Amino acid sequence: AYLRIRGDWGNTSVAWVTADDTDWEQDENDLLSFSSQVSLGQDFDLYQTGEYIISSDRKDEENTLSYYYLNAGYDFKDHFRISLTYDRYDRIPYIEEVPDDTQYGEYDTGEVQVFKGYGLSPRLDIQMSETWRGYVRYRYRKTDDYGSREWHQYHGGVSCSDLIGFGVNASVFLNRSDDRDYETGFLRISREVGQSLSLSLNLAADRFSYPETVAAAAHVEDTWRCGLSGFYRITGDVTALLEYERVFGDEEMDREHRILFNLQLKF
């Protein structure tokens, strides 16, 4: 069941969902899904969406706000924008323990756990000129999956739509936590060739303070990435993207070639 209301202020919607008679009993529940988008004047806007579990086969999940996302922003004289994002989740099931005599696929006798966490992120966007803009963002995350963790993430970047005929995007991302620290830097230089083709040169670097894998692969401390991409507008309804990336790790076995091709048709 679904209801949506629109007005000059924005829109809001609510939906009732019932899942019953499924293969896994833990997926059977009644939940309420909601979202709204509100604008006050030309400066303030707010968007939120969420999911509330009303009843469930697992009693400990009843009356639980299983997912929520909120983003609110305010514009100052077209040059500055301050926004705040909050998100939380409390229901992504996984199997922690299954008895040895359980056959593959019969997981209902295992102990089912959930991922839990939330994040809070303020962000500042700056329009420095007609072609230059920048942003800085901080995000605090706390998660409860496989043990409690706290994350501090810092993200910043600048972009220029026309630098002597080229488009430029650059950003830096830093992640800090008890057991996983890493940094990533990214630079993209792009140029339009005619009205149908866009070419880009992409460069990136990564540094890891802890192993990114628990498998037998070697501990990768840093990588370099470089790539080329082309976006071609074949017609108004058909576009194609081709991207190639070369990864250079600090170990010979960690060097990779990556190719992406995407074709889009609009009907």
Side-chain angles (χ1 to χ4, degrees):
Y2 182 82
L3 174 65
R4 184 177 185 183
I5 302 173
R6 302 182 187 178
D8 296 336
W9 46 269
N11 63 80
T12 185
S13 64
V14 61
W16 177 286
V17 181
T18 296
D20 198 5
D21 194 21
T22 65
D23 291 336
W24 285 21
E25 291 184 356
Q26 59 261 32
D27 291 334
E28 299 178 0
N29 52 49
D30 297 324
L31 59 90
L32 197 65
S33 177
F34 60 90
S35 68
S36 59
Q37 187 170 358
V38 179
S39 297
L40 300 179
Q42 298 181 346
D43 300 326
F44 179 79
D45 57 86
L46 181 147
Y47 172 77
Q48 65 174 351
T49 183
E51 183 180 274
Y52 184 84
I53 299 177
I54 300 173
S55 62
S56 173
D57 181 72
R58 293 185 297 208
K59 299 303 180 181
D60 58 341
E61 287 188 353
E62 292 187 343
N63 300 316
T64 300
L65 184 63
S66 57
Y67 173 73
Y68 182 72
Y69 173 86
L70 168 71
N71 179 269
Y74 186 83
D75 295 315
F76 294 88
K77 298 181 180 180
D78 299 329
H79 295 293
F80 299 93
R81 174 178 173 82
I82 295 178
S83 57
L84 181 67
T85 300
Y86 173 79
D87 65 278
R88 74 183 304 271
Y89 52 93
D90 195 7
R91 187 179 181 269
I92 306 178
Y94 69 95
I95 306 301
E96 184 180 68
E97 181 180 356
V98 179
D100 294 337
D101 58 351
T102 299
Q103 297 297 317
Y104 180 78
E106 299 178 358
Y107 291 136
D108 54 329
T109 57
E111 182 181 352
V112 179
Q113 302 293 327
V114 295
F115 292 110
K116 298 181 181 180
Y118 68 90
L120 185 65
S121 175
R123 171 170 172 152
L124 173 64
D125 289 87
I126 306 172
Q127 187 73 43
M128 295 175 282
S129 68
E130 292 184 359
T131 57
W132 283 91
R133 62 182 304 234
Y135 69 93
V136 291
R137 179 175 72 91
Y138 165 76
R139 187 184 187 196
Y140 172 79
R141 291 184 63 202
K142 184 175 178 61
T143 59
D144 237 350
D145 46 305
Y146 303 111
S148 179
R149 295 178 179 174
E150 289 188 350
W151 311 68
H152 299 275
Q153 299 174 333
Y154 309 87
H155 197 187
V158 294
S159 64
C160 179
S161 59
D162 186 8
L163 181 63
I164 57 174
F166 293 88
V168 178
N169 286 273
S171 63
V172 176
F173 179 82
L174 289 80
N175 186 90
R176 295 290 181 265
S177 68
D178 293 336
D179 59 353
R180 182 172 295 179
D181 289 356
Y182 57 89
E183 299 91 34
T184 297
F186 179 78
L187 172 65
R188 170 175 289 169
I189 302 174
S190 58
R191 183 178 178 88
E192 297 288 334
V193 181
Q195 297 182 348
S196 301
L197 180 63
S198 177
L199 298 176
S200 299
L201 171 65
N202 310 311
L203 302 172
D206 314 285
R207 190 196 70 82
F208 307 102
S209 298
Y210 299 94
E212 291 299 295
T213 176
V214 295
H219 177 144
V220 180
E221 294 183 354
D222 55 73
T223 58
W224 290 87
R225 292 174 284 143
C226 61
L228 294 172
S229 61
F231 181 79
Y232 185 56
R233 304 168 189 86
I234 302 173
T235 67
D237 297 328
V238 183
T239 59
L241 170 68
L242 177 63
E243 182 170 335
Y244 167 76
E245 184 180 66
R246 180 75 162 96
V247 181
F248 301 89
D250 53 11
E251 297 286 342
E252 187 68 28
M253 63 183 297
D254 298 312
R255 300 186 177 183
E256 301 174 334
H257 299 271
R258 299 174 180 174
I259 298 176
L260 167 69
F261 176 72
N262 177 267
L263 180 68
Q264 296 186 3
L265 308 176
K266 184 165 60 176
F267 299 94

